[in-house]
Amino acid sequence: MSDELAAQLSTVTQKLGQLKEELKKVILGQDGVLEQMLITLLCGGHALLEGVPGTAKTLAVRALAMTLSCQAKRIQFTPDLMPSDILGTNVFNLAANTFELRKGPLFTDLLLADEINRAPAKTQSALLEAMSERHATIDGVRHPLSPVFTVFATQNPIEFEGTYPLPEAQQDRFLLKIKVNYPAEESERAILEAVHRGAPPDRLDPGTLVPLFTVGDLQRLQAALTRVRIEPGILSYVLKIVRATRENEAILVGAGPRGSIFLLTSSKARALLQGRDFVTPDDVLAMVGPVLGHRMTLSAESEIEGAAAEDIMKSILEKLEVPR
Amino acid sequence: MSGRLSLLILAIISCGGLLAPGARKAGADQPPLDSREHLEEILERPLYQRWRLRQERAERDNFKIDEKYLNKFWEFLQECLEKLFDWLSRRSPRSGLAGGLGSIAGSLKAAGWLALALLAAYLAYLVYKTLRSDQLHRARAKILSREQIRKALETGEALALAGSGWLQEAERLVAEGNFRAVYRALYLALLSGLHTAGKIDFRRNRTNWMYVFFFRGPEGEKESFSRLTALFDEIWYGEKPAPGYSLSQLKDQVARLTRKEIQHA
């Protein structure tokens, strides 16, 4: 590696470290979630956040947008939400005698799609198409979205009444499924103490966080990902893990090639976040759950037995040798 | 309880079936099904089948030893102990001071037998441990062909050689000028040595940092192990040139960490 490249990567990792510290000022006890959200951004993917209400999902997205000096918008998905509500629509301007595009909330950098499973399939697919194509089609005309357009969709894991669960094919479009759990006792105490001192519990006042990155910086970071190296043994390890999901009896449909690609890129992004320009098996293992968990369809027997995708994945990993 | 729940579920499923749009239509246009057939149809439904299987599983999981059998076992044990004390008291004189002393003597005799049994068990354990250790060392001492060693090095099979064996292999690789492989051999020496010293449990599905995390040893040694792991990561996974460490320095560090094993070897 040249000295210039090493210096560049050192700056990148230093800035990412600062970013993580800045975010931790307002998001307490969710370090893993923050790391996975940053990985999503570095990979240029989208994430599905799954967690019970009140675990700082919305706040995390807002804080991220603030530190990246990005524009962020939020859509609360409801059963009556129409595709035009998120994409936008052409409105006739009587004075100019022409149609004018009134852009929907999709035209932003970071989008928080709250409770995505509450909207009907038609609206979900309009969003998912925009996610994969990075453009929106309104009245037959294609409109490009922000180059760093990232969706953080949320869904509640316990309440399914009146919801439209995302089909497997649509879930596959999300780079990561981030599980947002309750914070640890110490972190929750720190949150209470902060609120007691006067910090707003779920609001983020302007100036609370220092913007450290611009959209251009983020794009450069995404480009830096290609310079993260991966030893051939680790590449084979990624391949073995994904292929093992297709051969396991407990799994009806394993992860596809998109799963392998995402596991590789997210492992590289994690390495970068850890301040390394090379991937280790620990990076791969850390990303297996968030990348592959939602890409597997369990067999009927496993579902009846109440097996979780995490447990099956664990048994797969126990049989695979770590490259050394 | 399970029977009642089963009936309740059946009732819910049958109500659901009647309320379903298809069922309503069938009810309106066709004569009602024979109740037995209807019941069989409900029992065939995947929803009921799934519930039944889950229920069976839960019942299996909740299986506990019946208290009745436990009480019987305690009664039996009590009876045996009573018989033992009867036997001991029959063997000693019954009256006065002599009787008391006899009873003490009997108890001491029983305690002696118990101590003897414990001693025998301990000796058996020692023999087993010695045999196992000997077996391990004989396995380690087996001479591997160059091809076998090369394969073990490539696959990271640390336990194929003892720590000292890997250190010798590292020296041979230095002579060959294969410096990247030297570090690999040194790290395998470290893992093999630490496994034998009981400080880690080597398993092929564990990463190097898992060994660091679960390291059983003083904090200082854990830090050294952590430093060596970071160094190995840089050289092996990062494919970076070996930094300014001399081989002897690294060998010393490895030997210090695996002291017990190296001394034994």
Side-chain angles (χ1 to χ4, degrees), chain A residues 266-280:
Chain A
S266 57
S267 303
K268 288 168 89 173
R270 186 181 183 269
L272 203 60
L273 272 175
Q274 300 281 326
R276 280 181 275 107
D277 64 342
F278 59 90
V279 177
T280 64

Side-chain angles (χ1 to χ4, degrees), chain A residues 36-83:
Chain A
Q36 289 180 30
M37 286 171 84
L38 286 173
I39 287 170
T40 308
L41 278 171
L42 285 177
C43 295
H46 309 279
L48 182 63
L49 288 102
E50 196 177 78
V52 289
T55 42
K57 296 187 287 287
T58 312
L59 190 67
V61 177
R62 286 203 177 133
L64 201 57
M66 200 177 265
T67 48
L68 296 171
S69 22
C70 285
Q71 198 187 15
K73 283 182 186 168
R74 176 187 175 177
I75 311 173
Q76 180 65 50
F77 278 58
T78 53
D80 58 352
L81 193 79
M82 300 300 286

Side-chain angles (χ1 to χ4, degrees), chain A residues 242-255:
Chain A
V242 178
R243 291 189 77 83
T245 65
R246 299 172 202 161
E247 288 152 15
N248 195 292
E249 281 180 4
I251 301 168
L252 186 69
V253 185

Side-chain angles (χ1 to χ4, degrees), chain A residues 107-122:
Chain A
F107 292 85
T108 185
D109 298 318
L110 303 191
L111 179 73
L112 176 67
D114 236 345
E115 295 191 275
I116 191 169
N117 55 342
R118 296 228 169 258
K122 196 162 63 170

Side-chain angles (χ1 to χ4, degrees), chain A residues 230-241:
Chain A
I230 183 155
E231 201 254 336
I234 299 180
L235 194 76
S236 306
Y237 186 51
V238 168
L239 203 61
K240 274 184 200 164
I241 292 171

Side-chain angles (χ1 to χ4, degrees), chain A residues 242-306:
Chain A
V242 178
R243 291 189 77 83
T245 65
R246 299 172 202 161
E247 288 152 15
N248 195 292
E249 281 180 4
I251 301 168
L252 186 69
V253 185
R258 195 186 274 148
S260 329
I261 296 166
F262 284 173
L263 184 56
L264 174 69
T265 49
S266 57
S267 303
K268 288 168 89 173
R270 186 181 183 269
L272 203 60
L273 272 175
Q274 300 281 326
R276 280 181 275 107
D277 64 342
F278 59 90
V279 177
T280 64
D282 296 275
D283 296 321
V284 179
L285 286 182
M287 297 319 297
V288 163
V291 174
L292 301 181
H294 61 293
R295 288 174 213 282
M296 302 186 303
T297 309
L298 303 189
S299 65
E301 289 83 3
S302 310
E303 283 200 7
I304 290 166
E305 284 168 9

Side-chain angles (χ1 to χ4, degrees), chain B residues 18 20-33:
Chain B
L18 289 171
R24 269 204 302 274
K25 200 177 173 188
D29 302 339
Q30 291 166 10
L33 289 166

Side-chain angles (χ1 to χ4, degrees), chain B residues 63-78:
Chain B
F63 175 77
K64 280 176 190 149
I65 298 169
D66 201 324
E67 212 170 302
K68 192 172 69 185
Y69 294 111
L70 208 62
N71 285 339
K72 274 192 176 175
F73 172 72
W74 280 121
E75 278 169 18
F76 172 73
L77 199 67
Q78 226 171 338

